[in-house]
């Protein structure tokens, strides 16, 4: 079951950076709907201590958990390239793939979250590259047409210094927990 959730990305990042000191950051929060967060707590967990139960134990009613893009690799801040894409179908993903490939040659993990797609890759990037990455994603939204990227999500990410994509579905504001729909890997067959 974990292979179909964003926990797969976490496990694959742990494998990709085995032998390094790696600390993930997570948000525990309550949503107020429409992009409003009632409160948020940041939780750091070292890779060797990280498991799903440790993170989710203690969540209260209506509280959600999300993985933050900011983490620590050998004591240095790095970022997981991720985005909330508001495309209607995967047929509209070509531009997003190009931006991700500018920063990573690793597989892309695509999850359906109910109203949008959450996309991740495994290569950790610097803060400078993370800011450029987010800017390039924003530029995919052409003026006067349907959005491709949730620009409010990127705005919140830049203001708070990290992006966050939901792992759970514990409140009325979300349709379902994110579920893996596709892996794009130029070095292997697609799943």
């Amino acid at each position: 079951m974990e292979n179909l959730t964003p926990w797969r990305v976490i496990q694959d990042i742990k494998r990709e950076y085995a032998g390094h000191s790696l600390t993930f950051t997570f948000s525990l929060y309550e949503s107020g709907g429409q992009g409003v967060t009632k409160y948020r707590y940041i939780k750091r967990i070292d890779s060797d201590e990280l498991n799903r139960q440790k993170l989710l134990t203690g969540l209260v009613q209506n509280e959600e958990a999300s993985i933050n893009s900011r983490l620590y690799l050998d004591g240095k801040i790095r970022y997981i390239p991720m985005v909330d894409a508001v495309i209607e179908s995967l047929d509209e993903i070509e531009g997003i793939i190009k931006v991700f490939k500018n920063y990573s040659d690793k597989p892309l993990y695509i999850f359906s979250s109910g109203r949008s797609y959450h996309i991740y890759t495994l290569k950790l990037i610097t803060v400078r590259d993370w800011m450029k990455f987010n800017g390039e994603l924003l530029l995919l939204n052409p003026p006067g047409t349907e959005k491709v990227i949730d620009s409010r999500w990127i705005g919140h990410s830049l203001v708070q210094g990290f992006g966050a994509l939901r792992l759970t579905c514990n409140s009325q504001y979300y349709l379902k927990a994110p579920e893996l729909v596709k892996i794009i890997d130029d070095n292997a067959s697609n799943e």
Side-chain angles (χ1 to χ4, degrees), residues 3 5 7 11 13 28 36 43 63-64 70 77 93 109 121 124 130 133 148 163 176 181-182 184:
N3 262 353
T5 72
W7 286 98
Q11 295 302 318
I13 289 172
L28 307 179
V36 174
K43 190 171 190 175
E63 196 169 58
E64 304 288 353
R70 183 176 57 213
I77 294 175
I93 200 168
Y109 296 72
T121 191
L124 304 181
W130 178 73
F133 169 77
V148 175
K176 67 179 189 172
V181 292
K182 187 170 189 167
I184 299 174

Side-chain angles (χ1 to χ4, degrees), residues 15 21 24 26 35 54 66 70 96 119 125 136 138 185:
R15 273 191 289 280
S21 169
F24 288 87
F26 298 90
K54 180 172 185 141
S66 64
R70 183 176 57 213
I96 298 168
I119 305 169
I125 59 177
E136 288 181 33
L138 272 178
D185 185 355

Side-chain angles (χ1 to χ4, degrees), residues 106-179:
K106 304 294 180 191
L108 295 182
Y109 296 72
I110 304 168
F111 296 84
S112 170
S113 72
R115 292 188 182 97
S116 63
Y117 290 94
H118 295 174
I119 305 169
Y120 303 81
T121 191
L122 305 180
K123 183 178 179 187
L124 304 181
I125 59 177
T126 65
V127 66
R128 180 180 166 97
D129 282 345
W130 178 73
M131 293 182 77
K132 287 171 49 181
F133 169 77
N134 279 293
E136 288 181 33
L137 288 170
L138 272 178
L139 292 172
L140 292 175
N141 287 343
T145 62
E146 291 293 317
K147 291 191 303 185
V148 175
I149 300 300
D150 184 344
S151 55
R152 289 184 49 78
W153 182 87
I154 290 184
H156 287 294
S157 299
L158 293 171
V159 166
Q160 63 196 12
F162 61 88
L165 290 175
R166 188 170 47 84
L167 298 169
T168 58
C169 184
N170 296 326
S171 68
Q172 66 187 12
Y173 298 109
Y174 304 114
L175 300 177
K176 67 179 189 172
E179 181 179 311

Side-chain angles (χ1 to χ4, degrees), residues 45-102:
I45 305 176
D46 289 335
S47 176
D48 55 351
E49 299 173 9
L50 176 60
N51 64 56
R52 191 176 185 160
Q53 183 176 354
K54 180 172 185 141
L55 177 64
L56 300 182
T57 298
L59 282 181
V60 297
Q61 185 176 356
N62 294 322
E63 196 169 58
E64 304 288 353
S66 64
I67 182 169
N68 296 342
S69 61
R70 183 176 57 213
L71 46 68
Y72 300 86
L73 177 67
D74 297 329
K76 295 179 181 165
I77 294 175
R78 292 293 181 261
Y79 287 85
I80 304 166
M82 61 171 65
V83 72
D84 187 17
V86 290
I87 55 178
E88 301 241 344
S89 77
L90 292 181
D91 295 336
E92 304 171 60
I93 200 168
E94 186 176 321
I96 298 168
I97 291 171
K98 286 180 184 176
V99 172
F100 270 86
K101 288 186 181 289
N102 287 340

